[in-house]
Amino acid sequence: MNRRRALAGVLLVAFLVLAGCSSILGPDSVDQNALAENETYDWSSDANASINVTGSEYEAVYNVDNQSQFAVHSRDGLGREGPLAISALRFRYPNGTIVGPSSPALNATNQQERTVIGLPARNGELAFSAPAQGKRFSTQAFVSGTYDVTIPKGMRVTYEPLAHVSPGDYETTRTETGRVQIRWDDVQSNAVSVRYYLARDLYIFAAGAAVLVVVALVGALYYLRQIRELERRREQAGPDVDTGENDGPGL
């Protein structure tokens, strides 16, 4: 009986760990090599959150206001939350001094479904990089206020259903390099997401739609022609067509 209880306890602990509850064993430190990676950030934005999507990753800069910690997380397609795989961690003091994870006051740990970043000061700007996916970018809204999201070069968000931007109250502008930048003046939602497309995708979509229209027209003309052909044959057959009715009683 004791052995069974001990085995059950071990299995329970293993299940909790695999389910992401590793905090019962203490927080997990984030890969220090990843945190120390080099990255160039744009610290000049006046937005509360400035995000530059470059393709397979994005660089984010957040304004920190009276905080000693900054918690971030990701969410998969099933709505499950987990730590965010961050890299190139940096903090900029109000006087312009920038420090990295070599500073003991700037650190990151994975705690349950969150990555918790310890800050060296309560005010400043926090920057990190994280993975992006395909032609879609999404992030939880870790701060409220103004958001800027710059999508990769050549991408557009003009037409649905190829594109979708959420929340919906936004404006778009072009940067000096021709990239599209999306701005929200006051994000109060839980997340920000952008689905975009290559400019050439619009032409492919339009060409595909045109082909479908042509096929539909050809099919409609074919069936119309068949109907007219049947009507013509019926007229040629004349009124003596056998309808299957008897000519009179007794016949």
Side-chain angles (χ1 to χ4, degrees), residues 91-182:
F91 184 87
R92 184 175 184 264
Y93 288 91
N95 64 6
T97 301
I98 300 174
V99 297
S102 58
S103 171
L106 180 64
N107 55 75
T109 57
N110 291 332
Q111 302 179 18
Q112 294 188 8
E113 294 87 9
R114 299 286 189 274
T115 297
V116 179
I117 303 171
L119 304 175
R122 299 186 68 87
N123 295 282
E125 293 175 281
L126 176 68
F128 58 79
S129 297
Q133 52 181 351
K135 296 178 182 178
R136 176 183 175 86
F137 166 77
S138 63
T139 180
Q140 299 301 296
F142 303 124
V143 298
S144 59
T146 307
Y147 271 67
D148 281 346
V149 173
T150 304
I151 60 178
K153 187 174 183 179
M155 298 296 180
R156 301 290 184 267
V157 293
T158 309
Y159 299 105
E160 292 191 12
L162 294 178
H164 180 72
V165 180
S166 178
D169 188 13
Y170 64 91
E171 295 179 351
T172 61
T173 58
R174 293 287 185 90
T175 66
E176 294 180 355
T177 59
R179 296 170 63 187
V180 173
Q181 185 178 78
I182 306 163

Side-chain angles (χ1 to χ4, degrees), residues 53-116:
V53 187
T54 59
S56 60
E57 68 174 12
Y58 67 90
E59 296 97 39
V61 180
Y62 294 95
N63 280 342
V64 176
D65 184 17
N66 196 28
Q67 295 176 250
S68 61
Q69 292 183 334
F70 196 90
V72 296
H73 64 280
S74 62
R75 179 172 292 178
D76 62 18
L78 300 177
R80 296 175 299 188
E81 296 182 352
L84 183 64
I86 64 173
S87 60
L89 184 63
R90 299 293 185 273
F91 184 87
R92 184 175 184 264
Y93 288 91
N95 64 6
T97 301
I98 300 174
V99 297
S102 58
S103 171
L106 180 64
N107 55 75
T109 57
N110 291 332
Q111 302 179 18
Q112 294 188 8
E113 294 87 9
R114 299 286 189 274
T115 297
V116 179

Side-chain angles (χ1 to χ4, degrees), residues 177-189:
T177 59
R179 296 170 63 187
V180 173
Q181 185 178 78
I182 306 163
R183 165 163 283 218
W184 294 264
D185 287 333
D186 188 17
V187 171
Q188 297 294 332
S189 62

Side-chain angles (χ1 to χ4, degrees), residues 221-237:
L221 290 174
Y222 172 79
Y223 284 110
L224 180 61
R225 182 177 179 181
Q226 291 293 95
I227 291 172
R228 289 181 176 176
E229 179 66 18
L230 290 175
E231 291 176 346
R232 185 184 65 80
R233 291 180 180 179
R234 184 176 180 181
E235 291 175 354
Q236 290 179 348

Side-chain angles (χ1 to χ4, degrees), residues 9-25:
V10 171
L11 292 176
L12 177 61
V13 171
F15 174 78
L16 292 174
V17 171
L18 292 175
C21 299
S22 59
S23 62
I24 61 175
L25 303 178

